[in-house]
Amino acid sequence: MYTIKDKILLAPGIKMFMIDAPSIAQKAKPGQFVIVRKDEYGERIPLTIADSDKREGTITIIFQEVGRSTQDLGKMEVGDMILDLVGPLGRESEIDFYGTVICVGGGVGVAPIYPITRALHMKGNRIISIIGARSADYLIWLDKMDEVSDEFYVTTDDGSYGRKGFVTEVLTEIMDKEEINMVMAIGPIQMMEAVSRITKEKGIKTLVSLNPIMLDGTGMCGACRVQIGDEVKFACVDGPEFDGHLVDWENAKRRLKMFEREEKIALTSLGCRCCQGGEK
Amino acid sequence: MPREIIKNKYPMPLLPIEKRIKSFHEVALGYTEDLAIKEAERCLQCNKPSCVEGCPVGVDIPAFIKLILERDYLAAAAKIKEKNSLPAVCGRVCPQENQCEKMCVLGKKYEPVAIGRLERFVADYELANGELQYTRKSPTGYRVAVVGSGPAGLTCAAELAKMGHEVTVFEALHIAGGVLVYGIPEFRLPKSIVAKEIENIKALGVKIEVNSVIGKLWTVDELMREKGYHAVFIGTGAGLPYFMDIPGENLNGVYSANEFLTRVNLMKAYDFPNYLTPIRTGKRVAVIGGGNVAMDAARTALRLGVEESYIIYRRTEKEMPARAEEIEHAKEEGVRFIFLSCPVEIKGDNEGRVCEIICQNYELGEPDESGRRRPVPIPGSEYSLKVDTVIMAIGQGPNPLIAATTDQLQVNKKGNIIADEQTGKTSKPGVFAGGDIVSGAATVILAMGAGKKAALSIDKYLRSL
Ligand SMILES: Cc1cc2nc3c(=O)[nH]c(=O)nc-3n(C[C@H](O)[C@H](O)[C@H](O)COP(=O)(O)OP(=O)(O)OC[C@H]3O[C@@H](n4cnc5c(N)ncnc54)[C@H](O)[C@@H]3O)c2cc1C
Ligand SMILES: Cc1cc2nc3c(=O)[nH]c(=O)nc-3n(C[C@H](O)[C@H](O)[C@H](O)COP(=O)(O)OP(=O)(O)OC[C@H]3O[C@@H](n4cnc5c(N)ncnc54)[C@H](O)[C@@H]3O)c2cc1C
Ligand code: SF4
Ligand code: SF4
Ligand code: FES
């Protein structure tokens, strides 16, 4: 059992938990994730380790309430215990000196890109960060990202904060202006795809963090398979980071819709367990 | 006076078919005491019992059958447990027709003694009525880490604990049991039985740490260097699903059997949305393969309410590696078998969901290395089958995680850890391995046998430190 030590509402529907998980905290590296199962009835859902504190023995997760499992999780409070938490899973990011690196974070994707950005910054890379969200309300961790960036841009779709428009517009402008050695993008799949398309034209190495549906997270089931170039990879063990220029985006987007209908059923059945008297 | 020989096994009481396909209730209900005694009477109590030679762990079969006749079922259970610590599991899932029962002398002319069913009867009796009895030696002060909680790891852990060593089992998933909990379905092996066996093992003092992926949380080297374990046993199984590498395999609706069965068994997707893990089958399901895994997937699909559940296998019924009983039950329940056939492509609709599978017919050619006749495709024989779901059950390989993160641990070309068959010793001092991770996908009883042998040699190793 893993106790929630702290809970913060970062933006509407975006929540942050600090969880007591000393062993995982010891080991967590940027780019890695955990799989969470809230309770006996829960799904196993993957969430990035957005931060970790070895001394306190805690890890931080930030999640957006998009469906039943993330909503159920969001209802938990400080002091509550999560039944299962396994990690750190996935490969760590390749933190190296590249030169000038652009880090693009969209929406809740800022959470997973933060530890990577920080590590890249500490390696001596010049960091240009571009953060985007729907509107000002949904921008998270601006200060933290600013701290680890040499240049910092913010966009919102509606112009309520920073520049009006998409992250890709700023990205294009910067790339036209100066030489970029690497781009790292994490956010909604459409955003990662758009970023990869732009950088591919310029031939700039681009890493994205894919978020397919997962089950075990250990390479046992193949639910998370993604097409990378002419190879099929299991994102939970071979990723989650991949070369954005090689990703089969159509396939990746389609596979996220595998259980669309069931996800709706799960949402509308909210609370039905209580009427049935709980235990079954 | 020569006694009359009953030619056939007493039939196993079964759940009626119409009840079976609507639930995950166990299909084989088990012998009653009366049936068990009658079946036990069929045994000739051979002086040189060949059946024992057929059992990979050498259970003293005539001895336990004799104890059944004496109505001393707890003693019979104890007798079996001298060699096999999970009889309730093995009695249910051992491929007896290739092992103990294959060698039974009665089988030469008639049906062999139903050894598996008797083993199950005794084990179930003990689970219901027995008290756990064991003698645990005084603590040795040695600590052993066991990686993986399948039959290999559990057996090794139990044996080591009985010898007085301090044992911790690390399991990647949130429940212990390996394939016994995530793969083999409830209707064949009720999870409550596995859970009881695991409780027994815990009662021996074994600690089980779930949610611990070794190679990620800690490496094997760290377990030994930093965590103070004197030896490590690796029993991580054959968990890496193979796909066929044919067009359309990434369409929505194509599952590995591991994914399909894990969703249903481990995550209880059959009770969605009470349990939140979804599964989707549509109306027509094709399972590719001919082993136990394929039978389990096809029968599970039926229970989820599909209209047609096909098994597509490239050889014939004779070559199918599945247990005879499972094939029989699958047929009774309405699984449709398509032999000498193999998919070449899966097609999707415009939303990217499976709608059709294109297969090719095969014929049997010359025998291959395994001695089975090699299936050869017949050119131009392609045909199409409308399906909504395709489940790949064509085998599993070793998960590379441990090998990739452990210094000096040698693996073979397929990625299986190289370990001595008798001792479980690997190329790395203090590290032992057994079960599917060494042998490739095999059977529960072989994995248990390997775990037990390794425990003996780990004990020796520890005492030499
Ligand atoms: C390695 C990895 C790291 C992740 N890290 C984070 C994180 O740090 N914070 C965070 O908020 N989310 C993260 N995700 C996504 C998160 O796992 C999903 O949002 C979650 O499983 C949805 O569960 P649900 O039941 O609430 O929603 P569902 O009902 O399952 O889905 C609702 C909606 O979300 C979409 N969706 C479903 N699964 C995913 C997915 N895996 N990724 C993206 N969209 C999905 C569906 O298409 C649907 O539109 C990560 C995913 C992976 C694979
Ligand atoms: C669907 C199905 C049906 C079967 N039916 C039969 C049958 O009827 N009869 C029969 O005899 N055999 C059957 N088998 C085969 C049998 O189950 C296996 O041979 C046996 O379970 C192997 O045991 P094991 O202990 O080696 O590994 P497993 O049972 O595979 O257990 C390995 C365990 O290790 C864990 N693990 C893996 N990597 C790590 C890691 N890095 N860190 C921590 N833990 C890890 C896994 O999560 C798993 O729990 C079947 C197999 C399947 C899949
Ligand atoms: S363990 Fe398996 S092979 Fe051995 S006697 Fe029992 S059922 Fe037969
Ligand atoms: S070979 Fe058959 S008849 Fe003889 S002891 Fe074994 S089970 Fe009994
Ligand atoms: S989640 Fe099962 S293999 Fe990746």
Side-chain angles (χ1 to χ4, degrees):
Chain A
M1 302 280 258
Y2 304 81
T3 312
I4 299 170
K5 292 289 225 199
D6 200 3
K7 174 182 180 179
I8 297 172
L9 179 71
L10 294 179
I14 301 182
K15 290 176 179 163
M16 174 174 125
F17 282 176
M18 255 158 66
I19 305 170
D20 200 28
S23 316
I24 301 176
Q26 289 303 316
K27 286 291 171 152
K29 298 264 169 42
Q32 290 189 299
F33 62 96
V34 287
I35 283 189
V36 178
R37 190 174 75 128
K38 175 184 170 270
D39 59 28
E40 179 56 32
Y41 300 95
E43 264 186 291
R44 294 169 61 99
I45 58 165
L47 295 169
T48 307
I49 304 170
D51 210 347
S52 57
D53 188 329
K54 285 195 176 58
R55 247 187 336 188
E56 295 288 317
T58 56
I59 62 163
T60 301
I61 55 170
I62 295 182
F63 58 94
Q64 184 162 24
E65 297 178 348
V66 290
R68 175 69 188 267
S69 294
T70 43
Q71 286 182 13
D72 281 0
L73 198 63
K75 292 199 187 93
M76 297 185 85
E77 299 298 339
V78 174
D80 288 351
M81 285 192 281
I82 292 174
L83 182 58
D84 295 301
L85 187 69
V86 54
L89 299 172
R91 284 175 191 266
E92 57 188 279
S93 307
E94 277 175 44
I95 304 299
D96 222 326
F97 180 76
Y98 300 96
T100 302
V101 179
I102 302 184
C103 295
V104 189
V108 75
V110 176
I113 211 167
Y114 168 71
I116 301 170
T117 311
R118 183 176 56 185
L120 285 169
H121 183 70
M122 287 200 312
K123 268 273 166 183
N125 292 285
R126 192 169 96 82
I127 304 286
I128 305 176
S129 293
I130 313 173
I131 299 301
R134 250 187 293 164
S135 71
D137 285 349
Y138 294 92
L139 286 164
I140 59 170
W141 275 10
L142 287 187
D143 46 342
K144 286 181 88 143
M145 280 301 287
D146 196 4
E147 231 170 74
V148 296
S149 308
D150 297 280
E151 266 178 55
F152 188 56
Y153 300 88
V154 181
T155 68
T156 49
D157 299 1
D158 63 0
S160 53
Y161 189 98
R163 246 178 81 162
K164 182 171 157 61
F166 296 129
V167 287
T168 39
E169 292 159 20
V170 179
L171 176 71
T172 312
E173 282 170 25
I174 298 173
M175 287 194 309
D176 286 340
K177 263 198 331 237
E178 64 179 302
E179 193 195 330
I180 302 299
N181 303 94
M182 213 247 303
V183 175
M184 176 87 216
I186 308 184
I189 194 157
Q190 289 78 4
M191 182 209 94
M192 294 192 285
E193 181 187 13
V195 167
S196 302
R197 199 170 45 230
I198 296 170
T199 58
K200 194 174 185 175
E201 285 163 18
K202 307 240 173 201
I204 299 170
K205 176 180 161 122
T206 299
L207 290 179
V208 295
S209 180
L210 294 183
N211 54 2
I213 292 170
M214 291 187 178
L215 189 56
D216 60 302
T218 67
M220 180 270 276
C221 76
C224 62
R225 58 195 191 277
V226 287
Q227 184 79 39
I228 308 296
D230 49 18
E231 280 179 291
V232 175
K233 299 272 189 186
F234 289 1
C236 67
V237 284
D238 302 322
E241 277 170 30
F242 293 100
D243 181 340
H245 299 164
L246 294 179
V247 173
D248 178 341
W249 293 101
E250 285 315 311
N251 177 59
K253 283 188 284 191
R254 205 171 58 211
R255 285 188 64 81
L256 273 180
K257 294 193 185 142
M258 179 100 160
F259 297 109
E260 223 173 11
R261 191 178 63 200
E262 289 73 15
E263 284 157 3
K264 287 200 189 96
I265 297 173
L267 262 183
T268 50
S269 78
L270 253 177
C272 84
R273 260 196 318 262
C274 339
C275 351
Q276 290 176 356
E279 290 301 299
K280 226 198 114 169
Chain B
M1 188 180 72
R3 61 181 178 154
E4 186 200 354
I5 291 186
I6 311 281
K7 293 179 181 157
N8 294 321
K9 291 179 183 175
Y10 283 88
M12 178 64 122
L14 298 175
L15 198 67
I17 293 167
E18 61 289 355
K19 275 199 184 158
R20 280 192 221 167
I21 55 175
K22 293 203 179 80
S23 80
F24 282 78
H25 193 287
E26 189 171 18
V27 167
L29 300 173
Y31 274 166
T32 56
E33 184 171 352
D34 183 46
L35 280 171
I37 289 173
K38 283 195 192 143
E39 183 66 29
E41 280 169 351
R42 292 184 65 226
C43 170
L44 305 174
Q45 293 291 323
C46 307
N47 283 333
K48 283 194 195 144
S50 46
C51 54
V52 178
E53 286 160 38
C55 171
V57 295
V59 168
D60 190 343
I61 295 163
F64 95 75
I65 292 182
K66 188 145 179 273
L67 287 162
I68 294 180
L69 290 174
E70 291 166 11
R71 315 285 197 276
D72 194 349
Y73 310 122
L74 291 179
K79 181 51 81 185
I80 301 173
K81 283 194 164 173
E82 285 171 12
K83 301 285 178 179
N84 168 0
S85 54
L86 301 174
V89 175
C90 293
R92 287 175 166 80
V93 306
C94 260
Q96 287 96 3
E97 69 271 19
N98 294 325
Q99 298 179 353
C100 51
E101 294 180 18
K102 183 181 188 181
M103 303 291 281
C104 168
V105 288
L106 264 192
K108 285 186 189 150
K109 275 183 90 171
Y110 313 110
E111 281 187 2
V113 175
I115 302 168
R117 294 173 187 174
L118 291 175
E119 181 168 317
R120 168 182 168 176
F121 167 77
V122 171
D124 285 359
Y125 182 91
E126 192 202 25
L127 282 176
N129 304 298
E131 264 173 47
L132 188 67
Q133 279 179 3
Y134 54 89
T135 40
R136 203 181 160 200
K137 303 226 174 86
S138 53
T140 60
Y142 290 114
R143 302 178 69 218
V144 183
V146 170
V147 185
S149 65
L154 289 177
T155 308
C156 186
E159 294 300 318
L160 286 167
K162 285 187 220 158
M163 297 167 185
H165 304 302
E166 189 188 325
V167 188
T168 309
V169 178
F170 295 96
E171 167 54 48
L173 293 171
H174 56 262
I175 301 178
V179 169
L180 306 184
V181 296
Y182 79 71
I184 303 181
E186 178 79 17
F187 57 81
R188 229 162 38 91
L189 178 62
K191 300 307 151 225
S192 57
I193 287 181
V194 184
K196 269 192 198 150
E197 296 289 9
I198 288 170
E199 282 315 307
N200 288 346
I201 289 170
K202 281 188 182 163
L204 291 169
V206 171
K207 269 193 273 170
I208 299 186
E209 301 268 357
V210 293
N211 295 325
S212 306
V213 183
I214 300 306
K216 286 287 174 190
L217 191 57
W218 299 297
T219 62
V220 170
D221 292 282
E222 284 166 343
L223 288 174
M224 297 176 81
R225 267 199 329 259
E226 294 166 25
K227 299 279 161 189
Y229 290 98
H230 300 97
V232 176
F233 175 78
I234 301 171
T236 49
L240 181 78
Y242 289 144
F243 287 91
M244 295 187 73
D245 211 6
I246 56 174
E249 233 173 348
N250 287 337
L251 288 166
N252 288 358
V254 183
Y255 301 93
S256 74
N258 277 2
E259 178 183 357
F260 185 75
L261 292 169
T262 301
R263 283 183 180 277
V264 179
N265 295 326
L266 184 73
M267 305 309 295
K268 303 196 171 67
Y270 57 82
D271 195 8
F272 177 87
N274 247 324
Y275 286 83
L276 286 173
T277 304
I279 188 85
R280 187 161 176 176
T281 53
K283 297 206 165 100
R284 297 156 66 87
V285 173
V287 180
I288 319 302
N292 285 320
V293 185
M295 300 304 134
D296 285 346
R299 296 173 69 198
T300 296
L302 279 181
R303 284 160 174 79
L304 294 173
V306 307
E307 286 166 11
E308 289 291 354
S309 180
Y310 297 101
I311 285 200
I312 301 178
Y313 180 54
R314 47 188 198 130
R315 306 183 201 239
T316 69
E317 176 160 1
K318 222 171 69 206
E319 287 84 16
M320 277 208 290
R323 295 180 73 221
E325 191 179 280
E326 311 314 330
I327 299 172
E328 199 179 302
H329 290 171
K331 282 188 183 162
E332 288 168 3
E333 290 163 13
V335 171
R336 305 225 338 231
F337 289 79
I338 304 177
F339 294 114
L340 288 168
S341 199
C342 190
V344 288
E345 184 178 355
I346 305 166
K347 291 194 165 163
D349 60 18
N350 47 19
E351 282 173 36
R353 293 200 161 270
V354 171
C355 64
E356 186 181 10
I357 184 165
I358 312 289
C359 300
Q360 191 173 26
N361 285 326
Y362 275 61
E363 59 193 354
L364 290 184
E366 297 296 303
D368 62 12
E369 322 78 71
S370 71
R372 295 182 300 179
R373 289 175 64 193
R374 190 194 301 275
V376 202
I378 305 172
S381 63
E382 288 81 1
Y383 65 95
S384 148
L385 198 64
K386 294 261 176 275
V387 292
D388 309 300
T389 297
V390 176
I391 300 170
M392 292 294 171
I394 54 166
Q396 291 112 252
N399 188 309
L401 188 55
I402 297 279
T405 53
T406 310
D407 286 338
Q408 308 165 2
L409 188 66
Q410 279 175 16
V411 297
N412 67 15
K413 267 194 301 221
K414 287 184 177 160
N416 293 103
I417 294 176
I418 298 174
D420 184 277
E421 208 182 306
Q422 289 311 313
T423 62
K425 268 190 196 149
T426 68
S427 55
K428 189 178 173 76
V431 177
F432 300 74
D436 281 4
I437 186 66
V438 171
S439 61
T443 59
V444 172
I445 189 71
L446 285 173
M448 288 176 52
K452 187 162 185 172
K453 282 184 202 160
L456 289 171
S457 79
I458 290 172
D459 182 58
K460 231 194 248 162
Y461 168 81
L462 293 173
R463 290 175 198 283
S464 74
L465 286 180

